[in-house]
Amino acid sequence: MTAEPKLLVKGWVPPKLDRPFTVVGRRINRRDAVEKVCGKALYANDIHFPGTLYAKILRSPHPHARIKKVDTSRAESVPGVKAVISRNNFKDWYTYWYKIPQPGFPEIVLYAGHEVAAVAAETPEAANEAVGLIEVEYERLPAVFDVEEALSECSPVVSYSDVVVPEGPFYATDKPPVRNVWGGGPAVLSRGDVEKGFEEADVVLERVYTTPFQHHGTLQTRTCVALWEGGRLTLYDSCQGIWQAKEDLALSFRLKPEQVRVIVKYMGGGFGSKSGAQRYAHYAAALSMLTGRPVRLELTRAEEFLSHPRRPAAKFYLKSGVKKNGRITAVWGRVLINAGSGGAYKPFKHDAILHPFYLYDCPNVHLEQWGVLTNLQFTGPTRSPLNIISSTAFESHVDELAAAIGMDPLKFRFMNYNPYADPVKKTRFSAKNLDKAMQAVCEEIGWDSPQRQHNGRYRTGRGMAVYMFHGVGFHPYEANAEVVVKPDGRAELRMGIVDIGTGSATTMAMVAAEELGVNLEDVDVMYGDTDGTMYAPGSHASRVIPEVGPAVLKAAAEAREQLFAALADKLKVAPSELRSERGFIYLKEDGRPLLSFREACRIANVEIVGRGSRAPNPGPYPRGGETSAVNFATFGATAAVVEVDTWTGKVRVVRCATAHEFGRVLNPKLVESQHYGGVLFGIGYALYEGAVHDKKTGIMLNADLLNYKIPTTLEMPEEIVCINIEAEDPYFAYSAKGGAEGINSAVPAAIRNAVYDAVGVWVNDFPIIPERLLRELEKMGSRDAV
């Protein structure tokens, strides 16, 4: 009996293909690779129109101040200056990001770098000169940068004028902050009786872990060209979501959606940082609308560091109880998230505490996540936004628990492994193979090998960690696609996504080709433009494969079935008797080829359009403790071998193995790229990256790529082993789920745990820079004499 199809699409649900894959699963190059390598790809930085003006932004030098007066008269007199905007002429104007309204030019600036005015001029030099001539009278206000201080009763209160709470948007706050606490209190996940669990424990361990602000370090800084022409705004941008940017800009300028077009064909890295229409795009658009001329706004590297929404820093208090037999009896935790002066926090308000709640079979758990406002720049999505904080802290804690009772860390994790979504209700995930991932990565690095070096200057150790991530779609689960089959036999896939470097245009074309039964070379792709495409989610939160994938599959299947119906009378067969594969139409019964796909289209002689739309997940990615009969998430594990120089404190990752539950891998070559990128991102978080701020002004002191240390090819491990855990998950296109983000989540804790295995000291403050490691070695007397 055939199982009822579960693919998450609206309307008719295509049945599973009744033949082996011919396109999916192959190692195929990105379709834009040649253009990028040869320099033919046009980024927003390359777009130029006659008469283009250049825009520059004046930013506040103060972390908290009231703007009493802005005098732009001298700036306006600079030759070549065509427009200046500020509170003087844009007082009640709001920019939008994730549909969150933010005053374009606030009365009270909340961080050093907050926008005060913008200028458009004939040349960059004139724009820079004009910005320097704008005179601003500030009334300085008390500022706070530390989360502990921000929670105290005597702390200055962040003037939270920069986010208005509108009616019901998903990305807004639940309710206004109370003093400096987002939503007025913590998000809580709890079950059982924690105090009882501590009483039952043989060992109780309390620790504090800190993680840094992390910047995205994209190759391309934020850049756009705005063109207001004929009552329509066209934006050539570097964002990750063209439809989200379109919506945000329409809201900001009170335009009809059809009056806004956003184009992003190529972009130089995003990692979550360029989602939606960010503030720079609004300023360029406003200046273009004022002048009637194209306006280019390109942020400098320093501006990129000082102004864009980055990953929050965190301080994680953990207390856990464990029996001598290895069973965890209680977990209590409180994490303080330094959310800066605002950002897209609501979707992630539980994400830093999900890990211990869902991955471990502990009956008594109480976890609190506090979003704390400070006078630092906005925070927002960064590859695995708060999941990496959760995994870094708790997976470090798990190893300390195992060491406290003398148990192997891998064995300890298996003993406390939770196969369920809810261990009390016994509800399950659509698929969960974390145990296979754990075993696979540890086998790859030789977990039980006696070859580790624990003496002398250079010492080696191994460590592992696990993680939970979404990668299964995101509210409101709206994704659409069209597949157009033309009389000449070529197909065109149309989808409103941005290929941010993951190869999604290639993988989605593979899905369309597979379902149509044609060769990949016969499928063209239209993407990166709101004109000619339907709504699709932004390319962030690992959404494209799990959300757009089902829509593309449905669109291609619908187009194929329309073609079969058009052929039925001419071929004297029922549509259900036909099958397409490798560019030919076959009879299912005997596998006899009847004609080529191209010839079939010529005979049909009509343009066929198939459409697909994503349906919501029938169960949650369990964020707030809620579960249902079926739940959705992805899982993975990392194991690492490190070498520690006990003289210098330098840590080198020698070997790394990562395993992620993808469901099915559509293109192994592109998936390997995500493994490599995830490892590199995680190494940066573990060993190098972290914003340094002046304690008095809050200004970031290492706002360049010389002093903000991003790992390069020289810091990559000698070997990265990529392991793809595949399993059926019928809710998704060929079972394929997202995986671009989650992979980095467990890397920092795996490295940190390997450092302990090598030298016998725990470092609980990230990144593990040499000074911190040497300090711990000296405390323990573990540093070799020079």
Side-chain angles (χ1 to χ4, degrees):
M1 184 176 180
T2 305
E4 181 182 351
K6 297 180 179 179
L7 184 70
L8 293 171
V9 292
K10 295 177 181 177
W12 171 69
V13 180
K16 289 181 64 175
L17 288 178
D18 58 353
R19 59 170 174 78
F21 292 128
T22 60
V23 180
V24 165
R26 291 170 52 198
R27 298 177 64 84
I28 295 173
N29 290 333
R30 305 166 194 265
R31 58 176 47 226
D32 61 359
V34 173
E35 287 88 346
K36 288 182 175 179
V37 171
C38 295
K40 295 180 180 179
L42 292 178
Y43 296 79
N45 312 62
D46 302 312
I47 302 299
H48 186 80
F49 296 101
T52 295
L53 300 175
Y54 298 85
K56 293 293 179 181
I57 296 172
L58 175 66
R59 300 180 183 277
S60 168
H62 307 299
H64 203 190
R66 177 176 283 103
I67 296 176
K68 303 189 73 174
K69 181 181 179 182
V70 180
D71 184 350
T72 62
S73 58
R74 293 177 63 202
E76 291 166 2
S77 67
V78 173
V81 169
K82 298 300 179 183
V84 181
I85 56 177
S86 67
R87 280 184 57 78
N88 294 346
N89 51 354
F90 276 72
K91 183 176 181 180
D92 297 318
W93 171 56
Y94 287 84
T95 66
Y96 282 76
W97 179 51
Y98 287 120
K99 298 185 180 179
I100 303 172
Q102 303 170 322
F105 298 111
E107 178 187 359
I108 298 177
V109 291
L110 303 179
Y111 61 94
H114 212 157
E115 298 88 352
V116 174
V119 172
E122 298 280 1
T123 65
E125 293 78 12
N128 272 323
E129 180 184 352
V131 163
L133 293 174
I134 297 174
E135 298 176 2
V136 183
E137 182 182 344
Y138 296 98
E139 176 191 342
R140 297 181 63 176
L141 303 172
V144 60
F145 312 115
D146 178 76
V147 285
E148 300 274 18
E149 182 185 348
L151 288 175
S152 69
E153 287 296 322
C154 57
S155 167
V157 176
V158 177
S159 304
Y160 199 57
S161 63
D162 203 64
V163 174
V164 174
V165 184
E167 292 297 323
F170 181 66
Y171 288 98
T173 57
D174 291 312
K175 52 186 177 181
V178 175
R179 291 188 60 83
N180 294 325
V181 177
W182 197 286
V188 176
L189 293 176
S190 186
R191 64 171 175 258
D193 184 336
V194 172
E195 291 306 318
K196 179 184 176 183
F198 286 130
E199 292 173 4
E200 295 171 352
D202 295 316
V203 176
V204 175
L205 192 71
E206 292 188 63
R207 293 289 184 269
V208 181
Y209 305 87
T210 63
T211 59
F213 291 105
Q214 187 179 30
H215 290 254
H216 304 79
T218 58
L219 187 63
Q220 178 193 28
T221 62
R222 283 159 178 72
T223 303
C224 71
V225 176
L227 175 62
W228 176 254
E229 190 174 46
R232 194 172 194 229
L233 175 64
T234 300
L235 184 76
Y236 297 84
D237 202 3
S238 55
C239 70
Q240 293 179 235
I242 51 175
W243 278 90
Q244 294 69 46
K246 176 187 176 86
E247 290 178 329
D248 286 340
L249 290 165
L251 285 169
S252 177
F253 295 105
R254 300 181 182 180
L255 299 173
K256 297 177 182 178
E258 57 268 25
Q259 289 181 274
V260 181
R261 179 187 184 188
V262 180
I263 303 170
V264 185
K265 187 61 185 295
Y266 299 96
M267 65 169 295
F271 313 116
S273 71
K274 298 176 181 176
S275 304
Q278 295 187 17
R279 291 168 70 82
Y280 70 95
H282 291 80
Y283 301 128
L287 289 165
S288 181
M289 295 171 82
L290 271 180
T291 61
R293 291 172 61 174
V295 173
R296 172 197 298 274
L297 179 51
E298 182 174 348
L299 299 192
T300 65
R301 181 62 63 183
E303 285 182 298
E304 188 82 1
F305 271 109
L306 294 173
S307 66
H308 84 267
R310 58 188 176 175
R311 190 194 310 280
K315 191 169 190 177
F316 212 136
Y317 294 86
L318 281 166
K319 177 181 178 182
S320 298
V322 62
K323 286 183 172 293
K324 291 179 180 178
N325 66 5
R327 296 292 298 176
I328 301 174
T329 60
V331 174
W332 176 91
R334 175 179 293 146
V335 57
L336 308 180
I337 302 295
N338 192 330
S341 51
Y345 180 76
K346 180 184 175 182
F348 315 112
K349 68 178 184 178
H350 290 98
D351 282 19
I353 53 177
L354 295 178
H355 187 102
F357 192 76
Y358 288 108
L359 291 191
Y360 289 90
D361 186 12
C362 176
N364 307 298
V365 183
H366 180 85
L367 299 162
E368 299 176 0
Q369 178 176 321
W370 294 71
V372 183
L373 296 169
T374 62
N375 290 113
L376 296 172
Q377 70 198 69
F378 298 152
T379 55
T382 311
R383 192 172 191 166
S384 187
L386 303 190
N387 305 71
I388 195 171
I389 293 172
S390 187
S391 181
T392 298
F394 198 72
E395 287 300 295
S396 295
H397 195 62
V398 165
D399 262 44
E400 292 195 60
L401 288 172
I405 60 169
M407 183 176 286
D408 175 82
L410 177 60
K411 181 180 178 181
F412 184 80
R413 285 177 172 83
F414 274 119
M415 177 168 286
N416 292 282
Y417 183 78
N418 174 27
Y420 302 102
D422 187 323
V424 178
K425 299 177 182 177
K426 307 300 183 189
T427 53
R428 291 187 175 273
F429 289 98
S430 61
K432 183 178 182 181
N433 294 281
L434 178 57
D435 51 346
K436 294 179 181 178
M438 291 161 57
Q439 194 67 48
V441 294
C442 289
E443 286 178 358
E444 277 294 339
I445 68 161
W447 185 260
D448 296 319
S449 170
Q451 302 302 315
R452 303 194 306 280
Q453 174 65 39
H454 287 167
N455 296 302
R457 173 179 174 179
Y458 296 99
R459 304 182 188 181
T460 60
R462 80 316 184 236
M464 62 90 60
V466 302
Y467 65 88
M468 170 186 176
F469 190 68
H470 31 91
V472 290
F474 221 71
H475 181 91
Y477 303 105
E478 185 177 354
N480 306 278
E482 290 182 322
V483 171
V484 180
V485 178
K486 302 176 181 180
D488 64 1
R490 292 199 65 79
E492 183 177 57
L493 167 61
R494 300 172 181 172
M495 52 184 179
I497 68 163
V498 178
D499 189 333
I500 64 173
T502 59
S504 52
T506 304
T507 52
M508 291 297 94
M510 292 172 70
V511 171
E514 189 70 76
E515 198 66 21
L516 284 172
V518 301
N519 297 314
L520 183 60
E521 297 76 25
D522 295 324
V523 178
D524 300 315
V525 184
M526 176 190 288
Y527 65 98
D529 191 338
T530 55
D531 275 10
T533 64
M534 301 170 70
Y535 183 93
S539 299
H540 59 96
S542 297
R543 298 179 67 175
V544 172
I545 296 296
E547 283 192 59
V548 183
V552 170
L553 190 155
K554 164 76 179 288
E558 190 176 276
R560 180 196 65 221
E561 294 305 305
Q562 290 180 45
L563 178 61
F564 287 177
L567 292 173
D569 287 343
K570 297 179 175 65
L571 298 179
K572 308 302 181 186
V573 296
S576 60
E577 296 179 59
L578 298 177
R579 170 192 292 155
S580 55
E581 179 181 354
R582 298 182 188 274
F584 286 89
I585 309 294
Y586 296 81
L587 275 176
K588 285 184 180 179
E589 184 178 351
D590 57 12
R592 177 166 52 91
L594 298 178
L595 71 171
S596 70
F597 193 91
R598 184 163 296 183
E599 179 66 12
C601 293
R602 188 189 67 78
I603 292 172
N605 194 32
V606 64
E607 184 171 278
I608 294 170
V609 180
R611 293 185 175 90
S613 296
R614 175 65 146 78
N617 289 4
Y621 169 66
R623 277 198 156 90
E626 76 284 7
T627 61
S628 65
V630 60
N631 305 274
F632 295 87
T634 60
F635 307 89
T638 299
V641 176
V642 304
E643 178 188 79
V644 179
D645 184 339
T646 59
W647 290 9
T648 65
K650 183 177 180 180
V651 177
R652 182 171 68 92
V653 182
V654 178
R655 198 161 186 263
C656 189
T658 68
H660 183 79
E661 184 175 42
F662 286 97
R664 184 184 301 279
V665 173
L666 299 177
N667 186 328
K669 190 169 190 177
L670 300 184
V671 164
E672 285 175 10
S673 294
Q674 297 308 314
H675 280 285
Y676 298 148
V679 169
L680 187 68
F681 227 85
I683 288 174
Y685 196 70
L687 299 177
Y688 302 103
E689 297 184 52
V692 179
H693 298 94
D694 184 286
K695 293 183 179 180
K696 293 183 179 179
T697 66
I699 294 174
M700 185 175 170
L701 302 177
N702 56 336
D704 57 60
L705 292 177
L706 174 65
N707 295 294
Y708 183 89
K709 302 297 184 182
I710 293 177
T712 68
T713 53
L714 297 177
E715 285 73 47
M716 287 292 277
E718 295 171 8
E719 182 182 15
I720 297 175
V721 181
C722 309
I723 303 167
N724 303 320
I725 306 297
E726 295 191 285
E728 286 294 316
D729 201 330
Y731 297 93
F732 302 96
Y734 307 136
S735 297
K737 294 178 283 192
E741 293 189 71
I743 292 168
N744 66 330
S745 301
V747 175
I751 292 172
R752 178 263 191 189
N753 295 338
V755 169
Y756 170 78
D757 187 53
V759 296
V761 298
W762 304 110
V763 182
N764 293 342
D765 298 310
F766 290 81
I768 307 172
I769 55 177
E771 295 93 322
R772 287 174 175 160
L773 179 53
L774 289 175
R775 189 159 55 242
E776 296 303 321
L777 286 171
E778 288 168 356
K779 286 180 186 177
M780 298 292 292
S782 301
R783 184 180 177 189
D784 277 0
V786 177

